[in-house]
Amino acid sequence: SQKIEQNSEALNIQEGKTATLTCNYTNYSPAYLQWYRQDPGRGPVFLLLIRENEKEKRKERLKVTFDTTLKQSLFHITASQPADSATYLCALANSGGYQKVTFGTGTKLQVIP
Amino acid sequence: GAVVSQHPSRVICKSGTSVKIECRSLDFQATTMFWYRQFPKKSLMLMATSNEGSKATYEQGVEKDKFLINHASLTLSTLTVTSAHPEDSSFYICSASRVVGSNEQFFGPGTRLTVL
């Protein structure tokens, strides 16, 4: 069966450190993978998209890697700040799938001052 | 740009009543809109995909007669939960896509439905 697993439900990290979140998938052939941020009681906000033929993508303090051999994406937040505290969701769309994305359960990140 | 609103943000209703949730793209025309539901500490689950002027495509296991979707214009989609029951209580989120085939979806703030 298809699965998208994010490494942990919750991750606590000290301010200033790099937070690394993991997204693993099985039985998917994703055309692309996305990362979203979701705050409590709010809808997700798009952060980054990485395609199957890309290894790495960066945006300001965010970095995403995509390893289709390992079937894994890593999401890094460098110089983390308390304002980065939120739930981060990975989502992927299968090849041939028209815009339909499937979400992981998310990792709740807490950045401690 | 690319703002999506939902109304209401919270609704409490009695069992057996119907509830309508609106999703609007405020500053763009949405070729496709999506409806999701999310249970506490769970992932977003796609319920249906709708294109303006055509019938919605429902995901497996989602009852189309229970969750009526109308995509009347390029800026408005509505989800009506008919004859709501307590198990329908959930967080409903819509998203919209600007361009056909676009990978990016813009999400609304969500609607918390509580059925007593």
Side-chain angles (χ1 to χ4, degrees):
Chain A
S1 61
Q2 294 180 321
K3 277 186 187 177
I4 302 173
E5 292 177 307
Q6 295 191 236
N7 56 328
S8 54
E9 264 193 47
L11 178 67
N12 294 330
I13 193 163
Q14 206 70 35
E15 182 177 5
K17 301 289 186 185
T18 297
T20 299
L21 285 64
T22 306
C23 177
N24 295 294
Y25 59 91
T26 51
N27 293 321
Y28 278 99
S29 297
Y32 59 85
L33 189 145
Q34 300 172 317
W35 284 90
Y36 289 82
R37 169 183 174 139
Q38 187 175 23
D39 290 286
R42 307 291 296 175
V45 173
F46 171 79
L47 296 175
L48 279 167
L49 179 151
I50 187 165
R51 299 188 185 280
E52 61 180 332
N53 59 348
E54 296 175 318
K55 296 288 185 189
E56 183 179 298
K57 212 72 170 288
R58 290 176 186 260
K59 180 182 175 184
E60 296 171 354
R61 292 186 296 112
L62 308 180
K63 185 178 87 171
V64 171
T65 63
F66 195 10
D67 188 327
T68 54
T69 302
L70 290 178
K71 298 187 187 300
Q72 181 182 80
S73 174
L74 299 178
F75 177 77
H76 306 273
I77 306 175
T78 57
S80 58
Q81 303 166 1
D84 296 326
S85 299
T87 296
Y88 292 86
L89 305 166
C90 73
L92 54 83
N94 254 344
S95 300
Y98 174 70
Q99 294 180 276
K100 177 182 170 180
V101 296
T102 306
F103 284 83
T105 50
T107 296
K108 186 174 181 180
L109 174 68
Q110 185 77 33
V111 180
I112 303 163
Chain B
V3 178
V4 176
S5 70
Q6 278 185 244
H7 178 80
S9 57
R10 290 177 179 270
V11 57
I12 300 172
C13 69
K14 291 182 179 179
S15 189
T17 59
S18 294
V19 175
K20 182 186 280 189
I21 302 170
E22 289 186 351
C23 176
R24 291 181 186 273
S25 56
L26 298 185
D27 52 0
F28 68 99
Q29 293 186 326
T31 53
T32 307
M33 285 184 166
F34 306 84
W35 285 96
Y36 296 83
R37 67 188 295 184
Q38 186 177 33
F39 292 105
K41 296 188 178 181
K42 296 291 185 184
S43 179
L44 279 80
M45 289 179 53
L46 180 65
M47 299 174 66
T49 302
S50 74
N51 294 294
E52 183 261 341
S54 59
K55 288 185 179 179
T57 302
Y58 289 80
E59 294 300 302
Q60 194 172 12
V62 178
E63 299 175 58
K64 60 181 180 181
D65 295 330
K66 172 98 178 141
F67 299 100
L68 300 178
I69 291 172
N70 187 302
H71 195 156
S73 74
L74 283 171
T75 59
L76 173 65
S77 177
T78 59
L79 168 69
T80 302
V81 183
T82 62
S83 186
H85 288 99
E87 58 265 30
D88 297 324
S89 299
S90 189
F91 192 50
Y92 291 87
I93 309 174
C94 73
S95 71
S97 179
R98 272 193 291 205
V99 177
V100 175
S102 169
N103 300 327
E104 191 171 0
Q105 297 180 32
F106 301 95
F107 284 83
T111 297
R112 173 73 60 192
L113 170 63
T114 303
V115 184
L116 303 176

